[in-house]
Amino acid sequence: MKIGLALSGGGVLGVAHIGVLRVISRNNIKLDYIAGTSSGAMVGALFVQGGTELIEKFLDDLDAQGLFNLRKFLLKPDPNKIFNSVADTLRKYLPEKFEDLRTGFCCVATDFSKGEPVILDSGDLISAILASSAYPGVFAAQEVHGKSFIDGGISLNLPASVLQDKGLDFIIGSSLYNVSEMEKYGQEGVSPNRIVSAKRALDIMQKTLASVEVKKCDYCFTPPVGTFNWYNFDRINELHEIGDDYAKRHCDEFLSVLKSKLEGDIEINYNKTDGGTVEKVNT
């Protein structure tokens, strides 16, 4: 049975994927293919090459460079300089080409011209990851194979369907797109400003887009990070802990579903809802 892993985007929220990856590693689950979008592409490529240890090393390196300083990021005249620093750091830990990775891997970017998701799985690895992570309005569009690309999360934020198309038998997902209730805006006379409204609209659209992909997973982890923003670099340790705790609490359930699939006893889809309950869907 071939097992695939789909990692969603989410900016710094991608740190919450590490807990899921630890569960996979500690239980000696062999992944045949990983598909990642945006920060999920970054984390996924590092995991393919050196496990969670390499991800941690990469994060420590960025922290030592001061790149997790939110004030520095927001006041930086040219955010692309930070983007370039991330690229240089990735080159220290990853091979030049997709073909040199230890496991099958691809990332998703959005074709700026056509407005469609594109699977990048050959050639320059770092350029592809940057294209997948080029959040519009913050980082410039990236050129790969002579075309301009922006963040893959705009068109396919949880690439489960990519793994489905590749014929993987069991698809694990880790989705960071969940939306928490904003209670104060449910009160009479309290209205959000334009910035809050715009961000909320994008979050809702991203969650709706991800929900389609979640249903294509045999099991999908959804760490509860809905109250965080993609740029909360100052809360990276908190995100790390939330991801670890969530993955540990759902480990037994995940292993049970995987075991059932391996034994062929029952075919069940367990998808986590935002409330932490389990949605059971007979297939």
Side-chain angles (χ1 to χ4, degrees), residues 4-9 35-37 106 108 117 119 152-166 170-177 205-222 269-272 279:
L5 172 66
L7 298 172
S8 82
T37 295
C106 71
V108 178
I119 312 307
I154 301 301
S155 56
L156 187 60
N157 54 16
L158 177 66
S161 56
V162 173
L163 299 175
Q164 198 174 57
D165 291 343
K166 288 183 177 293
F170 189 92
I171 299 173
I172 306 165
S174 182
S175 178
L176 305 175
Y177 293 101
M205 287 189 290
Q206 292 283 49
K207 177 190 173 184
T208 302
L209 185 63
S211 66
V212 175
E213 294 295 305
V214 166
K215 293 177 181 178
K216 298 175 183 179
C217 298
D218 292 280
Y219 188 94
C220 191
F221 293 90
T222 58
N269 231 344
Y270 280 98
N271 292 321
K272 309 307 297 175
E279 177 189 355

Side-chain angles (χ1 to χ4, degrees), residues 126-199:
I126 306 303
S127 293
I129 293 174
L130 294 181
S132 181
S133 308
Y135 193 84
V138 179
F139 303 116
Q142 302 293 304
E143 186 172 309
V144 180
H145 305 317
K147 295 182 179 180
S148 292
F149 293 95
I150 56 175
D151 197 302
I154 301 301
S155 56
L156 187 60
N157 54 16
L158 177 66
S161 56
V162 173
L163 299 175
Q164 198 174 57
D165 291 343
K166 288 183 177 293
L168 278 297
D169 302 301
F170 189 92
I171 299 173
I172 306 165
S174 182
S175 178
L176 305 175
Y177 293 101
N178 44 63
V179 178
S180 298
E181 181 179 354
M182 301 177 78
E183 295 181 1
K184 68 177 181 179
Y185 294 117
Q187 300 173 18
E188 185 176 354
V190 181
S191 300
N193 60 36
R194 288 180 297 170
I195 295 175
V196 172
S197 295
K199 182 186 179 302

Side-chain angles (χ1 to χ4, degrees), residues 4-8 32-46 48 97-99 101 103-109 118-125 128-129 132 156 158-166 168:
L5 172 66
L7 298 172
S8 82
D32 295 281
Y33 208 95
I34 294 179
T37 295
S38 197
S39 60
M42 207 170 289
V43 169
L46 289 163
V48 164
K97 304 291 184 181
F98 276 90
E99 293 79 5
L101 287 169
T103 302
F105 172 77
C106 71
C107 56
V108 178
V118 174
I119 312 307
L120 302 173
D121 58 5
S122 64
D124 190 326
L125 175 62
I129 293 174
S132 181
L156 187 60
L158 177 66
S161 56
V162 173
L163 299 175
Q164 198 174 57
D165 291 343
K166 288 183 177 293
L168 278 297

Side-chain angles (χ1 to χ4, degrees), residues 64-65 71 108 110 139 182 227 232 269 281:
Q65 296 176 48
R71 180 180 176 82
V108 178
T110 301
F139 303 116
M182 301 177 78
T227 58
N232 281 151
N269 231 344
V281 183

